[in-house]
Amino acid sequence: MVSETPASRGPDVLVVGGGSAGLCAAIAARRSGASVRLVEWAPAALRGGNTRHARNFRLMHDRPTRYVPDSYSEDAFFKDLLRVTGGATDERLARVLIHCSATIAPWLESHGVRLQDPASGAMPYSKRTAFFLGGGKAMINALYMTAAKLGVRIGYDSEVVALAFGDGPDCEADILHDGRIDRIAAKTMVLCSGGHQANIGWLRESFGAAADGFMIRGTPYVTGSILRLLLDAGVKPAGDPSRAHMVAVDARGPKFDGGIVTRITAIPHGIVVDRDGRRFHDEGEDARKTHFARWGARIAECPGQIAWLILDAEGFERALPTALPPVRADTITVLATSLGLDPATLETTIKDFNAATDTSNDVPLIERCTQGLTPPKSRAAVALAVPPFAAYPLRPGITFTHFGVTVDDHLRLMKNDGRPARNMFAAGMIMAANVLGDGYLAGLGVTLSTVYGRLAGEEAARVALSDEPESGS
């Protein structure tokens, strides 16, 4: 049975969500002199949102530093953003993000986060992103430790089930914890609760029954409950719920929270077949390292949202290691039977593919393409002939949807009537669609969360501690 208590005077700033956006908001607000309370729906063991699975973040820099080589200018960053979004970005907010990304690394380090030295670390070379030493979970642990030391009050297993805000001096949240609802009044609030990608029912509204076959790469606690409350309260939406960032993941991984380790990147080294045992797209089309991001949407369109990557022994040797071992067999017939595919069809698919490949050694492997085959393979078209053969079952793994709430330059929520909310702010993936209306750039999710989280926390503290209430117009 759930009990309810009258509203109690809360902190200057209430932060909802315990990922990197919420932590940066809480720390920034506390550093600005405000009292801060942070509530996280997840238990302590699963705190940190999707940042737990992150490994790097994108940042602008004019010269090499200890944690990132070469340079990456503001214009180069912005051009990359325009390229992947197709122009679906708010340039003012994007410029703020890019400019402030130049200082977020030292800010994070000053609050306990350690960054990897690219000259000695294990992660790949990148002039656009810096890598966390110990990964995203180490970053999250460091920020929680800092927040606690600064006096931020932190509550886990705390779900916000209702919100109330307007033009008055306070905003309120009903927080469910341990069978009891506490109504907390705060001067300002920062919402960092993410989108709705872990809500299969909501995904079904945009993607239909195919959503049932999606794997959710991140936390199961990002269900969009806060987003729904805000939209119902008249906050202006941003983006398109039918657009999502998906990648190819191992179908044997967990339904939720598989993270980066379930991603399959070896597609260029073999062929991909659907449940009928037939190829359906050019496996060599994408030359960039991010090819797997395009395959998520392709697999989502397959019958049953399932496909299989087939490799021979040589292709498997060229592939990167995976968290789960492949299904192996000495013959295609046995492999097909193990996968539940029709052996004759898969054998015909591979026979036709092999016959269309160039068997000479005069052409570099990466430049080899099939001849007279539909669909073609335009790069690395090498016959699958060397046993043992290997296979990975694939499903679309959704990272986030390009949908959330609209904010102004101060990260205040924008209402449908065109006015900003006086004391309600948002940061992280709940507002990412303002600048990331489509596509994705490696490391941008953490950059969005940390940069906007820090700025929203500072703005929320400024309003909370101001002697003169601001106008909501």
Side-chain angles (χ1 to χ4, degrees):
M1 182 174 179
V2 176
S3 61
E4 198 170 318
T5 61
S8 60
R9 167 53 60 189
D12 294 325
V13 179
L14 177 64
V15 177
V16 179
S20 56
L23 286 165
C24 289
I27 290 170
R30 188 73 188 100
R31 286 288 191 195
S32 298
S35 59
V36 181
R37 179 173 176 178
L38 181 149
V39 292
E40 164 68 292
W41 185 7
L46 297 177
R47 69 186 184 182
N50 285 3
T51 303
R52 293 165 49 240
H53 300 295
R55 60 177 186 168
N56 60 340
F57 61 102
R58 186 167 291 246
L59 71 164
M60 171 192 126
H61 55 106
D62 294 326
R63 60 185 64 86
T65 70
R66 181 183 53 76
Y67 43 79
V68 67
D70 296 333
S71 65
Y72 185 47
S73 69
E74 178 178 348
D75 286 344
F77 196 149
F78 187 63
K79 286 179 181 177
D80 284 343
L81 185 62
L82 286 180
R83 172 177 54 81
V84 299
T85 62
T89 188
D90 181 320
E91 182 170 352
R92 295 173 305 165
L93 276 171
R95 294 286 185 181
V96 168
L97 172 71
I98 294 168
H99 186 263
C100 291
S101 74
T103 60
I104 197 63
W107 189 86
L108 289 170
E109 285 195 307
S110 72
H111 293 101
V113 177
R114 298 176 64 190
L115 302 178
Q116 178 177 285
D117 181 347
S120 60
M123 302 311 297
Y125 168 91
S126 174
K127 71 175 183 178
R128 296 173 177 84
T129 65
F131 289 85
F132 301 115
L133 188 62
K137 195 166 185 178
M139 172 204 181
I140 288 294
N141 289 342
L143 292 179
Y144 267 105
M145 184 178 296
T146 295
K149 287 180 178 178
L150 290 174
V152 174
R153 183 181 173 188
I154 300 169
Y156 302 108
D157 299 294
S158 300
E159 180 186 3
V160 174
V161 295
L163 293 170
F165 59 96
D167 295 327
D170 288 338
C171 44
E172 296 182 351
D174 286 359
I175 301 172
L176 174 62
H177 173 74
D178 198 21
R180 168 180 172 153
I181 293 178
D182 292 323
R183 180 163 294 173
I184 303 299
K187 293 180 180 178
T188 59
M189 195 180 305
V190 185
L191 302 169
C192 308
S193 50
H196 71 283
Q197 65 269 11
N199 188 328
I200 301 298
W202 197 342
L203 292 178
R204 206 177 288 124
E205 294 177 15
S206 297
F207 298 96
D212 294 333
F214 293 175
M215 311 285 277
I216 313 304
R217 302 180 67 211
T219 175
Y221 293 92
V222 185
T223 64
S225 57
I226 299 296
L227 177 56
R228 185 74 83 181
L229 290 174
L230 294 175
L231 297 177
D232 289 347
V235 173
K236 184 179 179 180
D240 182 348
S242 67
R243 294 183 181 273
H245 177 56
M246 298 184 194
V247 307
V249 300
D250 196 313
R252 299 166 298 173
K255 178 71 172 178
F256 294 91
D257 226 17
I260 195 171
V261 299
T262 62
R263 194 175 69 188
I264 299 296
T265 63
I267 289 170
H269 303 300
I271 64 170
V272 178
V273 299
D274 60 19
R275 69 183 182 186
D276 295 323
R278 296 184 174 91
R279 295 175 60 246
F280 55 90
H281 199 86
D282 178 1
E283 299 89 353
E285 180 185 63
D286 307 312
R288 290 190 294 250
K289 290 186 289 186
T290 54
H291 66 275
F292 47 80
R294 296 181 180 272
W295 278 91
R298 291 168 188 158
I299 298 166
E301 295 178 353
C302 286
Q305 292 67 59
I306 186 74
W308 285 265
L309 168 62
I310 311 295
L311 305 161
D312 73 350
E314 292 183 351
F316 180 75
E317 285 299 316
R318 292 191 295 270
L320 293 174
T322 54
L324 298 173
V327 178
R328 292 179 181 270
D330 289 330
T331 68
I332 295 300
T333 298
V334 174
L335 183 69
T337 302
S338 300
L339 302 177
L341 301 176
D342 178 64
T345 302
L346 184 59
E347 285 180 338
T348 298
T349 295
I350 293 177
K351 179 182 177 181
D352 291 345
F353 174 78
N354 289 350
T357 61
D358 186 349
T359 58
S360 72
N361 293 321
D362 297 333
V363 180
L365 185 148
I366 192 64
E367 297 178 11
R368 298 182 192 180
C369 58
T370 57
Q371 299 294 327
L373 187 68
T374 303
K377 185 173 182 183
S378 55
R379 290 183 181 85
V382 182
L384 305 181
V386 182
F389 300 95
Y392 292 95
L394 307 177
R395 283 202 180 275
I398 187 167
T399 311
F400 60 86
T401 58
H402 295 279
F403 186 64
V405 292
T406 302
V407 297
D408 68 5
D409 293 353
H410 299 280
L411 286 309
R412 295 180 296 185
L413 296 177
M414 293 296 297
K415 303 175 185 176
N416 286 321
D417 63 10
R419 296 187 304 148
R422 192 192 76 82
N423 50 9
M424 297 286 288
F425 301 81
M429 298 312 294
I430 195 172
M431 49 70 62
N434 289 268
V435 296
L436 193 61
D438 199 7
Y440 188 62
L441 287 171
L444 192 61
V446 175
T447 304
L448 278 160
S449 297
T450 54
V451 168
Y452 289 139
R454 176 187 178 185
L455 294 176
E458 291 170 348
E459 286 290 322
R462 182 182 63 81
V463 172
L465 299 176
S466 175
D467 292 332
E468 296 294 329
E470 291 191 352
S471 169
S473 61

